[in-house]
Amino acid sequence: MKITDSVLLVLKGCAMGMADVVPGVSGGTIAFISGIYEELINSIRRVDATALKLLVRLRFGELWRHVNGNFLFCVLLGIAIAIFSLARLMTYLLEHHPIEIWSFFFGLIIASALLVARQVGHWNWRTIAAFAVGAAAAWWITVASPTETPNDWWFVMLSGAIAICAMILPGISGAFILLLLGKYQYIMQAVGDLNIPVMAIFVVGAAAGIVSFSHLLSWLLKHWHDVTVAVLMGFMVGSLNKVWPWKEPVATYLDSHGELQPLVERNITPGHFEALYDKPSMLVQAVLLCVVGFLTIYGIELLARIIVRKRKA
């Protein structure tokens, strides 16, 4: 592989990493736009029994070629660079500008859900039921679960395993999945602080997840495409309850630093927020950023269409 090709792959990986840090924007979508999606899927699928045999026999050169190592290394390097460079920024924004950033996420997720809906070939009672089940499940999770989910190693690993699946699904965001699981801010903080133990556990879960689920998701999308996509869309719509910008804590707890943190929150109106906290609700800014988030997704989609047309021409 030429140096210029390697640099280009790293840059494409960076674009994927930037997308995966933001809830609502899919790294898979960026991979599709940049023309590496199919090779990415094929490379992931090569991590199979044959790869394991080569690893056990210490035939590293053959293993590297089998899994398309040069390609995967460059893409993963780019993703890592983007995530580490943006993590502190996202943590800062969530801490100091929560209403604005959650509003932006809200717009991103609405637009992403609408785009995912286009991937459903036929809406019938099965797909409608699948959508309803996905939406109800996500809504129940956001209502029934406390805002702070466990920080235990098993849940961090599980979060990594589930979130990484979004990388191979255009339209589904890994950061959105972390948001749904209540682990987005925790993982961003760990990356920003270079918390090696937490990052290592998360990466192990992600590696196990992408190897295990890539084949399963491929099978589901091949045999039950519309139903699978409808469920995913339902999850996105149901999760909007979690990213509503204005909230009131109804239960709190003391964290490891002795600071009071919200444990369970409920959504409130902007007017109620102003009366409760005696500070502006930032309604205008929230609406504008929600629109910006919505248009960002459609801008990415438009860019993808232009690129596809040029390739076909």
Side-chain angles (χ1 to χ4, degrees), residues 19-28 102 105 108-109 112 116 134 137-138 141-142 145-147 149 155-188 202 205-206 209 213 217 228-229 231-240 242-243:
D20 282 324
V21 168
V22 180
V25 185
S26 168
W102 288 125
F105 290 170
L108 287 173
I109 293 174
S112 295
V116 169
I141 290 171
T142 62
S145 300
T147 304
T149 49
F155 195 84
V156 173
M157 186 177 292
L158 178 65
S159 299
I162 297 174
I164 198 65
C165 297
M167 181 183 293
I168 57 176
L169 287 173
I172 308 296
S173 164
F176 155 76
I177 299 297
L178 287 179
L179 203 62
L180 183 63
L181 294 172
K183 277 287 155 282
Y184 178 76
Q185 196 160 359
Y186 179 75
I187 297 300
M188 288 296 100
F202 183 81
F213 294 147
L217 288 172
T228 302
V229 173
V231 170
L232 294 171
M233 179 190 174
F235 269 116
M236 301 184 82
V237 172
S239 74
L240 288 172
K242 193 173 186 67
V243 298

Side-chain angles (χ1 to χ4, degrees), residues 117 119-135 224-234:
Q119 300 180 27
V120 178
H122 301 283
W123 283 99
N124 49 39
W125 71 268
R126 288 189 182 87
T127 49
I128 292 174
F131 167 78
V133 168
W224 297 90
H225 179 273
D226 288 355
V227 171
T228 302
V229 173
V231 170
L232 294 171
M233 179 190 174

Side-chain angles (χ1 to χ4, degrees), residues 268-284:
I268 58 177
T269 64
H272 188 184
F273 179 89
E274 290 185 347
L276 184 65
Y277 296 104
D278 192 26
K279 57 183 180 180
S281 63
M282 312 289 288
L283 180 60
V284 174

Side-chain angles (χ1 to χ4, degrees), residues 20-82:
D20 282 324
V21 168
V22 180
V25 185
S26 168
T29 300
I30 301 301
F32 179 78
I33 291 173
S34 60
I36 62 173
Y37 183 74
E38 187 173 345
E39 187 172 2
L40 178 64
I41 295 298
N42 291 333
S43 299
I44 293 171
R45 287 178 179 173
R46 291 178 188 174
V47 182
D48 51 14
T50 302
L52 182 60
K53 290 178 182 178
L54 292 172
L55 178 62
V56 171
R57 294 172 182 173
L58 303 180
R59 294 160 65 175
F60 299 118
E62 292 181 44
L63 172 63
W64 188 260
R65 290 189 293 273
H66 177 72
V67 299
N68 198 7
N70 289 336
F71 172 84
L72 284 179
F73 175 78
C74 291
V75 173
L76 292 176
L77 176 61
I79 291 173
I81 290 172

Side-chain angles (χ1 to χ4, degrees), residues 215-257:
H215 298 281
L216 173 62
L217 288 172
S218 177
W219 185 88
L220 287 173
L221 288 170
K222 182 178 180 180
H223 295 89
W224 297 90
H225 179 273
D226 288 355
V227 171
T228 302
V229 173
V231 170
L232 294 171
M233 179 190 174
F235 269 116
M236 301 184 82
V237 172
S239 74
L240 288 172
N241 176 61
K242 193 173 186 67
V243 298
W244 181 253
W246 300 277
K247 294 183 180 294
E248 174 189 8
V250 294
T252 57
Y253 76 102
L254 288 175
D255 63 14
S256 58
H257 301 290

